[in-house]
């Protein structure tokens, strides 16, 4: 277990307008690690993909609760978890495959692949009817000033 040096938690309704709020809030909190613009971009993109999934897939026909928790761990590591209590994922391995989508035409099926490639580690926990949690870790390289 890595020690938690700082954290923040936020809860919001699965309205699509909250997606930009969530990614901006996480990036603002992460700013204390002095990330590069590239790293901020990666964080925002990963958060955006996870939150969008909760909004569109977790709660397709309802509004529900989304909780985003961000922890700062030892060694400049940022851990972001995005949780919903929505419909859950039947087959997580399949869902993580590039280009797999249940979303039809307008979805690329690349969300998990993007989250994985823009962070150092991604775990998905899910159970049908109970919801989904995505946990991502990203190390922010310390910089000389
Ligand atoms: N929070 C979630 N709740 C329920 N299903 C999800 C969730 N996140 C992802 N999924 C499932 O995993 C699939 C793949 O997700 P993703 O890689 O982001 O692609 P896309 O969102 O374009 O479909 C989704 O189509 C959906 O079936
Ligand atoms: Mg997606």
């Amino acid at each position: 277990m890595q020690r938690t040096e700082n954290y923040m938690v936020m809860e919001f309704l699965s309205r699509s307008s909250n997606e930009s709020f969530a990614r901006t809030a996480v990036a603002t909190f992460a700013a204390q690690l002095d990330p590069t613009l590239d790293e901020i971009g990666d964080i925002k993109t990963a958060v955006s993909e996870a939150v969008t999934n909760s909004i569109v897939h977790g709660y397709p026909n309802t509004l529900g609760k989304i909780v985003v928790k961000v922890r700062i761990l030892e060694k400049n590591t940022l851990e972001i978890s995005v949780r919903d209590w929505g419909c859950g994922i039947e087959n997580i391995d399949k869902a993580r495959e590039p280009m797999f989508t249940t979303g039809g035409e307008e979805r690329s099926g690349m969300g998990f692949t993007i989250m994985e490639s823009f962070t150092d580690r991604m775990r998905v926990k899910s159970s049908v009817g109970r919801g989904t949690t995505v946990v991502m870790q990203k190390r922010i390289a310390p910089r000389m000033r």
Side-chain angles (χ1 to χ4, degrees):
M1 272 305 257
Q2 281 176 290
R3 198 174 69 222
T4 302
E5 299 194 334
N6 196 5
Y7 76 87
M8 72 95 156
V9 183
M10 56 182 183
E11 176 183 325
F12 50 88
L13 207 53
S14 63
R15 288 200 183 276
S16 51
S17 56
N18 286 330
E19 179 268 314
S20 71
F21 160 70
R23 83 173 120 90
T24 306
V26 173
T28 305
F29 183 75
Q32 63 195 284
L33 288 175
D34 197 21
T36 62
L37 283 176
D38 276 356
E39 287 165 336
I40 294 172
D42 292 355
I43 292 162
K44 282 184 170 172
T45 303
V47 169
S48 164
E49 291 296 334
V51 169
T52 299
N53 278 354
S54 290
I55 294 169
V56 306
H57 302 301
Y59 301 110
N61 307 306
T62 46
L63 288 171
K65 178 169 87 169
I66 298 175
V67 170
V68 175
K69 181 169 182 176
V70 186
R71 294 202 294 157
I72 292 174
L73 306 173
E74 289 162 77
K75 300 191 190 103
N76 271 36
T77 300
L78 195 67
E79 184 186 81
I80 304 157
S81 82
V82 176
R83 181 170 187 189
D84 67 62
W85 285 260
C87 66
I89 301 172
E90 235 176 76
N91 185 334
I92 296 172
D93 288 340
K94 188 141 205 124
R96 289 178 67 145
E97 279 172 18
M99 290 163 72
F100 175 88
T101 182
T102 55
E105 287 282 286
E106 78 271 32
R107 301 278 153 205
S108 68
M110 293 304 286
F112 281 134
T113 306
I114 289 166
M115 288 180 244
E116 223 169 351
S117 59
F118 283 39
T119 61
D120 298 319
R121 185 171 180 214
M122 182 193 72
R123 282 169 290 159
V124 183
K125 290 174 268 180
S126 189
S127 99
V128 173
R130 287 167 168 264
T132 301
T133 306
V134 175
V135 184
M136 297 173 280
Q137 282 194 2
K138 187 174 181 66
R139 182 161 189 271
I140 306 299
R143 282 199 285 164
M144 307 296 284
R145 290 170 188 269

